Amino acid sequence: LCSYMSDEKIVYVGKKPLHAYVKAVLTAHEEGEKSVAIVARGASIGRAVDVAEVCRRRNGIIASTLPESISLSNTEIGTEEVPRDDGMKPVSFIRITLDF
C-alpha cells in the first residue's frame, strides 16, 4: 500500500476501498511526512483522483483530521510498458503529489 522513494511517501492505489488509501495518507501525515504521492495505473486512476480530492477537501471522518493546508503540488500522467505473458503492454498511470 505504501513505500518510500527519496524523501516522499508513495501510496499505491488499487482495488481496496477509498477510505483505506485516505487512511494511508493520514498515517503518512501523522508520521511527519511533508509530501505524499498517490500513484495508480489503469482502472485505478479514477480512484486515485478520488483519494486526492477527498484528502484535499477533507471530506469524511478520516480525512477531517488532515490539515486544512493540503495542496496539489504536482500531477503527472503518462504511459509505461508492463510485462505480460504475450509481451509488453502499455498501461496509463497517474501520480498526484499532495503537500501538507
Side-chain angles (χ1 to χ4, degrees):
L1 190 64
C2 296
S3 73
Y4 289 93
M5 279 189 86
S6 66
D7 58 347
E8 182 178 73
K9 185 138 188 182
I10 299 174
V11 175
Y12 292 100
V13 176
K15 296 182 180 186
K16 291 182 181 179
L18 182 81
H19 69 271
Y21 304 109
V22 174
K23 178 75 173 158
V25 171
L26 175 62
T27 301
H29 171 67
E30 289 173 347
E31 292 173 352
E33 296 296 321
K34 301 290 184 214
S35 176
V36 175
I38 300 168
V39 178
R41 292 194 291 197
S44 298
I45 289 174
R47 183 169 288 122
V49 172
D50 291 343
V51 170
E53 283 299 290
V54 165
C55 291
R56 189 176 67 84
R57 294 172 187 239
R58 300 175 63 228
N59 289 348
I61 295 169
I62 296 170
S64 66
T65 58
L66 286 166
E68 293 182 27
S69 60
I70 294 178
S71 63
L72 299 174
S73 65
N74 187 31
T75 303
E76 178 185 352
I77 60 171
T79 305
E80 58 188 23
E81 295 286 324
V82 176
R84 291 193 47 176
D85 294 338
D86 57 350
M88 300 298 277
K89 178 184 177 189
V91 177
S92 298
F93 74 88
I94 191 166
R95 179 186 179 98
I96 305 165
T97 304
L98 300 176
D99 290 335
F100 302 112

